[in-house]
Amino acid sequence: MTELNAAMVERYRSNFLKEVEANVEEGEWVKMCMQCGVCAGSCPLGNAWEHTPQKIFMMVRAGEREAVLNSDAMWMCTSCYNCIARCPRGLPITHIMHGLAHYAKRMGLAPKEQPTAKFAQLFWDNLVKKGRVNELKLGISLYFMNGFSEGIKTSLKMKDIGLGMLKTKRMSPMEMLGGHGVKDSAGFQKMLKKAQELEDKRISGSTD
Amino acid sequence: MADIKIGAYICKGCGLQDRLDISQLEMTATRDGKAVFAKTHDMLCSQEGVDMIKADLQGGDDAAANRVMIAACSRRAKVEAFAFGNTPTIRANLREGVIWVRPDEDEHKETTQEMADDYIRMGCAEAKAQEPAEASAEQQLDKHILVVGGGYTGLTAAIEAEAAGYPVTIVEKAAQLGGMTAQLYKKIPSCSPYADPQDTGIDAMIKSVEDNANITVHLNSTLTRTSGAPGRFAADISTESGSTTTENFGAIVQASGQKLYDPSGLSQYAYSGNADVITNLEMEALAKAADGGPIKRPSDGKEVKSVAFVQNVGQCSDEEDQLSYHSGWGDVVAIKQAMYFKDLNGSDCDTTIMFDNLRTPGAGGEDFYRSGQRKGITFTKADITEVIAGNELEVKFKDQILDNDTSMQCDLVVLDVGTLPNSGPDPYAPAAEEDEVVVNVDSILNLDYRQGTDLPHLKHGFTDSHFICFPYETRRTGIYAAGPVRRPMDLAQARDDAAGAAMKAIQEAENAGKGMAAHPRVGDLSFPSFRKEGCTQCKRCTVECPFGAINEDEEGYPVYNESRCRRCGTCMGACPVRVISFKNYSVETVGQQIKNVDVPDEFDEKPRILVLACENDAYPALDMAAMNGTEITPWARVIPVRCLGSISLSWVTDSMNNGYDGVVLMGCRRDDDYQCHFVKGSAMAAERMSKVGDTLSTLNLEPERVVIHEVAITDIQRAPQLINDMAETVDKIGMSPFKF
């Protein structure tokens, strides 16, 4: 358990709903869910999830903190927005799910082996280096996400596409050597640092 | 009495002229129907046509005609145009009854014309048999309205009736007005934005009633005897101390309210012996006692920090001794009471509503639910296993969404118990079994009627007549039930209900004053009378009247309280010696129509099928079928009747003797979910006709020749089909041997 996670458990005791309302993006909407299940029925990936949004919201209200934050549900969301379009109560369901995913990550409780969670981390790590996404590196790190031999296999499978992209100048091999970035790299890093500070203050700072 | 002079008026409009031989119809009317004249018009319902008829009716005894026989469209069409006051007006239905149900082809011309001719003969025969209906002149107008019960519904009814100019007397059993509403802390909001509980406003209502000179209030009082009929009710109002005053009233509103279900018998909720497990009504008292401060729990006065609302206690249940129906307001009340805690004990107070099916009816129901969610009330779909008593209560339940067994701790448990009507004993309750424990219920009205002391129940003890078609109507004319004694309802509904019942009471007082019928034959001036010398005092009419309108005198003769009568004619159908009749509806008015149909001999192969159709459902269904152009066999002759209950067995036997080949009776649904406008008429008819098979066998006729059907107004395809089925039956079993 991370230090922050322990602090949050201590602060909200058994009231997970209040914790979500205070810390999760759009979390104050969770209490307005009327459990009709339209979101669960509308989700194209509904069958593949551990919990549907309806169930996640009920679990939040029932105080099932660990189960919610460990769930793979919010990581499976493809942001198709079907649930938002259909929710009779007008809940921003997609945003709440992403908010929960983000919060789970902050608490260090996000599922470790969840592919989309892993990819999200790769994307972030790639992005923060230069302020621009290095697609070549990101692609390669995605191929090798699950180990070296699987990475070779995937690379061979994708080689024709890769060569085609090289030919049509959609991909530059030069990107391997550092690649492009934002003009003011130091400024960019400074900005990230400040944002992180603000975010830390928002989540843990209010009681300090 | 002037001679009967029938004026026959035949319309040529709506295609009648193209389809029928009008001059032959004129001849039929004058030659067979004995009309003094027959006139035609291109469009009889036009001002010109109506004026023509009106002119013929002028001049008193010297008028050209004193009976009107209109051969045009159905009696249900152009009602306003063809209204000629007291003059008996008969409608021969040539449009919906003939040309719209027969194909326009040459091969059918002859049978179509025969149908039309028959309807003209029937119309003239009926006109001849009718007398102008007149009020008995025994009636009086009494504008005084009696309201039984001084709760929210009774007060509203009194205020509404008084505002319309009718003096009111309220009789209240308790020592003060206000009833259950006076025990409430606040009410469910009745206007936008439906966000917070509102003041009940009951104190202001009580004050306005007490200050009103036209409203008299009797507290600590009950009705010890109510006799009479609409327009002349006499009620003995007795106080607890024993003094009695008698007053007269035009009509009565019964707003005797509700009582709540007692959960003591349900051990799983630990209600008995635990001060911290309370009912929803006790919750109101607790909130009232808090007096604007935080709500404290009853056992030790501790400020409540968490509360569980357990929904559907002893209601919506299949279990014995529990209510099978729902109060309707239980869940909204729980939301309201949870808000008490959010408002008085702070938003930190945990409030959990454990529901099974959350019902928030009414215009603001959904908004109020949303407001509850916004205030942080937790809603859990739960199956309650048990409530465990202790300093901290534990509610064990199965979470139906998360599908797990769990529990919660709380300081207070509020049980959502259902509602029971404060009805008097049911006059038609089945006799108790020998070993059955009978709980005696006090009478509320103490009616001095042949048929019981109180309003008959519909279902679960609620005093309603039929909740779809006729709200407020009960099975006792001039007495209108309103509020939760009629069906479960909240204050907003009770307010509308009270106003509606007050309007009905006013209408009935006024109608009774004019000698007119109440719903559904509003305005009918006819009333039943009987030939005393023929009466055998068999009492069948007094027993079978669905409205308890008929009393008996000392010798056992029927006494018709005509303003209690709904003019359905069930007594007429009951009378074995046929001495009961109305001026405009009798054994004769229908019997003559049956006799005047031309029945061709056996070799013509033209059967005749008599259809007696209820005027409320079956007849309009046939009219609508005609509008759709649904075909009906040309052998059918349809006669509308007031109710199947009015059918005299003699009509059936006479038609058989006259050579009809089949009889189809069409009445309303008659089971527990009956749709009969006169409650019991259709069921009575079915019972009486159950023996008709024997009669047919004695005549050597097949029992299939007489059928009785339940037909609803929506049976637009089925109703004509049933008639056509009889034509097929006749085709199969052959023509009646009774033809001349």
Side-chain angles (χ1 to χ4, degrees):
Chain A
M1 199 184 262
T2 66
E3 207 177 300
L4 178 60
N5 188 30
M8 294 309 248
V9 170
E10 176 58 25
R11 191 193 302 172
Y12 292 99
R13 303 257 171 205
S14 60
N15 203 330
F16 184 43
L17 177 64
K18 282 212 177 104
E19 180 180 346
V20 169
E21 285 184 344
N23 299 298
V24 172
E25 191 185 346
E26 306 279 16
E28 67 277 12
W29 279 96
V30 171
K31 63 174 180 281
M32 298 307 290
C33 166
M34 61 178 189
Q35 294 293 312
C36 65
V38 164
C39 53
S42 304
C43 180
L45 284 176
N47 294 338
W49 297 22
E50 202 178 343
H51 307 106
T52 62
Q54 175 205 5
K55 216 158 193 182
I56 284 282
F57 298 157
M58 195 63 217
M59 287 159 73
V60 170
R61 278 143 51 160
E64 295 187 7
R65 188 175 190 275
E66 296 283 302
V68 170
L69 297 179
N70 282 326
S71 174
D72 75 349
M74 28 307 179
W75 299 98
M76 294 294 283
C77 174
T78 58
S79 305
C80 73
Y81 285 84
N82 249 354
C83 51
I84 288 196
R86 292 186 182 167
C87 177
R89 275 295 173 86
L91 268 69
I93 300 172
T94 312
H95 301 161
I96 305 170
M97 295 306 278
H98 290 321
L100 281 168
H102 178 245
Y103 190 67
K105 177 79 182 160
R106 287 298 308 259
M107 296 296 115
L109 292 172
K112 299 280 176 298
E113 291 306 312
Q114 212 287 329
T116 39
K118 268 167 125 177
F119 177 71
Q121 187 64 54
L122 291 176
F123 186 92
W124 177 254
D125 294 344
N126 185 300
L127 176 71
V128 295
K129 279 201 184 109
K130 297 211 157 206
R132 290 275 186 268
V133 173
N134 186 321
E135 288 178 347
L136 185 61
K137 282 185 178 171
L138 180 64
I140 288 169
S141 58
L142 178 63
Y143 291 177
F144 288 86
M145 187 171 74
N146 296 319
F148 185 74
S149 64
E150 201 180 305
I152 296 292
K153 260 189 240 163
T154 316
S155 305
L156 289 172
K157 200 169 79 188
M158 300 296 284
K159 73 174 193 312
D160 291 346
I161 293 175
L163 289 171
M165 286 174 78
L166 274 178
K167 248 189 239 167
T168 53
K169 298 205 163 79
R170 307 307 296 169
M171 190 171 75
S172 160
M174 299 309 284
E175 286 286 299
M176 266 328 260
L177 316 165
H180 68 297
V182 291
K183 279 177 195 152
D184 181 8
S185 185
F188 172 67
Q189 294 302 335
K190 215 171 144 192
M191 189 181 79
L192 280 181
K193 197 165 164 252
K194 183 71 187 169
Q196 187 69 54
E197 262 171 38
L198 290 172
E199 177 74 358
D200 287 347
K201 201 171 172 204
R202 190 178 69 81
I203 287 190
S204 61
S206 51
T207 50
D208 296 343
Chain B
M1 181 74 222
D3 290 342
I4 291 170
K5 288 182 275 188
I6 302 169
Y9 299 89
I10 300 163
C11 183
K12 297 198 282 189
C14 292
L16 289 165
Q17 180 167 234
D18 308 329
R19 300 282 307 276
L20 300 167
D21 181 345
I22 299 291
S23 57
Q24 189 186 322
L25 294 179
E26 286 179 79
M27 199 161 71
T28 307
T30 49
R31 191 191 58 197
D32 297 353
K34 301 284 183 272
V36 289
F37 60 81
K39 291 183 180 178
T40 62
H41 194 275
D42 285 337
M43 195 179 149
L44 204 54
C45 57
S46 65
Q47 192 58 49
E48 197 191 39
V50 172
D51 288 345
M52 172 179 83
I53 301 173
K54 281 189 175 154
D56 289 341
L57 300 176
Q58 298 295 321
D61 284 354
D62 296 329
N66 54 21
R67 301 279 192 281
V68 178
M69 200 289 296
I70 292 167
C73 42
S74 164
R75 63 189 338 220
R76 298 177 53 82
K78 303 290 170 197
V79 180
E80 288 84 8
F82 298 136
F84 306 109
N86 239 3
T87 311
T89 303
I90 311 300
R91 307 281 298 270
N93 186 359
L94 301 188
R95 191 179 71 174
E96 285 88 342
V98 182
I99 63 164
W100 282 1
V101 294
R102 297 301 307 150
D104 185 10
E105 285 153 18
D106 281 347
E107 53 180 310
H108 298 297
K109 224 170 170 85
E110 183 187 324
T111 51
T112 307
Q113 181 71 29
E114 283 172 5
M115 260 181 133
D117 281 329
D118 268 347
Y119 279 120
I120 298 247
R121 288 186 197 101
M122 290 156 76
C124 291
E126 189 184 3
K128 212 180 300 168
Q130 274 203 13
E131 291 291 326
E134 274 163 18
S136 67
E138 289 168 12
Q139 306 303 320
Q140 55 205 358
L141 174 62
D142 187 344
K143 295 175 88 169
H144 199 174
I145 307 289
L146 170 64
V147 174
V148 186
Y152 186 82
T153 311
L155 293 172
T156 308
I159 291 166
E160 293 285 347
E162 197 281 330
Y166 291 76
V168 178
T169 292
I170 298 176
V171 174
E172 168 58 49
K173 201 172 165 183
Q176 66 284 321
L177 293 172
M180 199 176 272
T181 311
Q183 300 176 46
L184 304 185
Y185 171 56
K186 285 188 176 179
K187 69 168 184 178
I188 299 158
S190 56
C191 57
S192 181
Y194 303 105
D196 301 290
Q198 285 178 345
D199 285 331
T200 60
I202 193 80
D203 292 337
M205 284 172 80
I206 293 172
K207 189 165 182 337
S208 83
V209 163
E210 285 171 346
D211 291 350
N212 195 316
N214 286 326
I215 303 178
T216 315
V217 178
H218 293 267
L219 296 173
N220 296 312
S221 300
T222 52
L223 296 176
T224 43
R225 182 169 177 272
T226 307
S227 60
R232 53 176 181 86
F233 282 116
D236 291 354
I237 302 166
S238 303
T239 61
E240 219 172 304
S241 52
S243 66
T244 297
T245 52
T246 305
E247 282 184 56
N248 293 320
F249 299 97
I252 300 173
V253 174
Q254 181 179 330
S256 46
Q258 63 186 332
K259 47 189 171 279
L260 296 187
Y261 179 83
D262 177 8
S264 306
L266 308 174
S267 57
Q268 67 269 38
Y269 298 114
Y271 173 71
S272 295
N274 284 300
D276 295 334
V277 180
I278 60 175
T279 66
N280 39 14
L281 190 60
E282 288 162 348
M283 179 61 232
E284 295 291 338
L286 205 60
K288 257 194 158 178
D291 202 23
I295 298 169
K296 300 186 170 94
R297 69 181 192 177
S299 63
D300 54 6
K302 173 181 176 269
E303 197 177 309
V304 176
K305 282 276 153 224
S306 64
V307 53
F309 292 86
V310 175
Q311 298 306 101
N312 286 1
V313 171
Q315 59 178 334
C316 257
S317 160
D318 305 329
E319 308 275 324
E320 209 180 327
D321 296 329
Q322 299 190 25
L323 307 178
S324 60
Y325 54 91
H326 187 249
S327 65
W329 41 254
D331 298 326
V332 197
V333 164
I335 295 173
K336 175 188 78 170
Q337 294 179 343
M339 286 185 184
Y340 293 170
F341 288 96
K342 291 288 180 192
D343 295 346
L344 298 174
N345 293 31
S347 59
D348 278 351
C349 182
D350 279 329
T351 54
T352 305
I353 294 177
M354 299 182 163
F355 65 94
D356 178 37
N357 290 296
L358 200 73
R359 297 168 176 85
T360 57
E366 186 65 15
D367 287 345
F368 194 53
Y369 170 28
R370 216 178 290 226
S371 173
Q373 286 183 306
R374 216 167 271 135
K375 289 186 183 209
I377 299 167
T378 306
F379 292 86
T380 300
K381 189 168 165 67
D383 253 346
I384 307 299
T385 327
E386 66 174 320
V387 176
I388 299 169
N391 183 35
E392 194 156 28
L393 296 152
E394 187 184 2
V395 182
K396 288 188 155 182
F397 63 97
K398 182 183 172 171
D399 189 313
Q400 291 186 58
I401 303 273
L402 303 179
D403 197 25
N404 56 11
D405 290 307
T406 178
S407 73
M408 71 167 282
Q409 313 278 318
C410 57
D411 298 330
L412 186 72
V413 171
V414 181
L415 305 179
D416 162 44
V417 295
T419 171
L420 292 102
N422 262 336
S423 301
D426 185 7
Y428 304 134
E433 304 278 328
E434 235 172 75
D435 54 346
E436 206 175 341
V437 185
V438 181
V439 184
N440 281 319
V441 185
D442 286 341
S443 171
I444 289 165
L445 298 172
N446 276 302
L447 291 172
D448 185 24
Y449 279 25
R450 166 77 169 78
Q451 294 183 30
T453 56
D454 283 271
L455 298 177
H457 300 177
L458 180 69
K459 261 184 194 167
H460 315 303
F462 290 95
T463 54
D464 205 346
S465 66
H466 192 297
F467 47 81
I468 301 172
C469 302
F470 329 122
Y472 326 116
E473 288 288 347
T474 66
R475 297 193 223 167
R476 294 293 175 262
T477 312
I479 307 175
Y480 299 93
V485 70
R486 192 169 77 74
R487 63 169 177 76
M489 61 177 75
D490 62 19
L491 290 179
Q493 295 172 55
R495 184 187 54 201
D496 292 351
D497 222 50
M503 295 304 124
K504 287 296 264 183
I506 289 168
Q507 182 197 31
E508 179 49 8
E510 290 286 343
N511 274 3
K514 298 186 188 105
M516 285 177 173
H519 183 91
R521 292 191 61 84
V522 184
D524 191 347
L525 286 169
S526 69
F527 54 91
S529 60
F530 74 112
R531 224 167 12 91
K532 196 168 181 180
E533 57 278 18
C535 175
T536 59
Q537 296 131 293
C538 73
K539 300 190 176 67
R540 226 174 272 179
C541 55
T542 65
V543 172
E544 293 190 358
C545 173
F547 300 98
I550 314 170
N551 281 15
E552 284 156 18
D553 66 10
E554 300 82 34
E555 293 169 74
Y557 286 112
V559 178
Y560 292 100
N561 294 282
E562 60 174 80
S563 59
R564 281 192 221 158
C565 173
R566 307 284 181 109
R567 282 73 166 170
C568 60
T570 299
C571 51
M572 195 173 111
C575 183
V577 287
R578 300 175 222 162
V579 295
I580 303 173
S581 64
F582 298 78
K583 285 253 168 85
N584 54 7
Y585 187 65
S586 62
V587 173
E588 199 64 4
T589 59
V590 176
Q592 282 303 326
Q593 293 184 65
I594 293 170
K595 285 187 186 121
N596 277 279
V597 168
D598 180 42
V599 181
D601 66 31
E602 212 171 332
F603 309 106
D604 267 350
E605 294 190 347
K606 285 176 179 167
R608 286 292 175 259
I609 294 164
L610 174 67
V611 181
L612 296 173
C614 164
E615 67 178 10
N616 292 304
D617 268 47
Y619 201 71
L622 288 171
D623 272 359
M624 286 188 277
M627 288 171 203
N628 289 348
T630 312
E631 263 186 51
I632 291 182
T633 169
W635 318 137
R637 302 293 179 262
V638 185
I639 301 177
V641 292
R642 289 189 178 181
C643 175
L644 224 48
S646 70
I647 287 180
S648 167
L649 204 58
S650 68
W651 297 341
V652 177
T653 50
D654 283 0
S655 59
M656 282 296 153
N657 281 323
N658 281 341
Y660 281 78
D661 302 277
V663 177
V664 181
L665 308 175
M666 292 184 171
C668 299
R669 187 172 167 174
R670 54 180 178 261
D671 58 5
D672 282 350
D673 289 323
Y674 66 86
Q675 293 180 353
C676 177
H677 288 48
F678 302 105
V679 186
K680 285 267 163 228
S682 183
M684 288 291 173
E687 191 172 328
R688 291 170 197 157
M689 290 301 151
S690 63
K691 288 145 200 153
V692 84
D694 300 343
T695 318
L696 292 176
S697 328
T698 60
L699 295 169
N700 268 331
L701 285 170
E702 299 79 357
E704 302 95 290
R705 290 194 190 273
V706 178
V707 291
I708 180 163
H709 290 295
E710 293 179 34
V711 174
I713 197 164
T714 47
D715 285 340
I716 298 165
Q717 266 109 46
R718 185 171 157 263
Q721 187 55 47
L722 293 171
I723 300 174
N724 296 340
D725 286 350
M726 178 53 85
E728 257 178 55
T729 305
V730 170
D731 207 31
K732 227 176 280 164
I733 61 180
M735 306 270 279
S736 161
F738 281 84
K739 295 184 189 277
F740 297 106

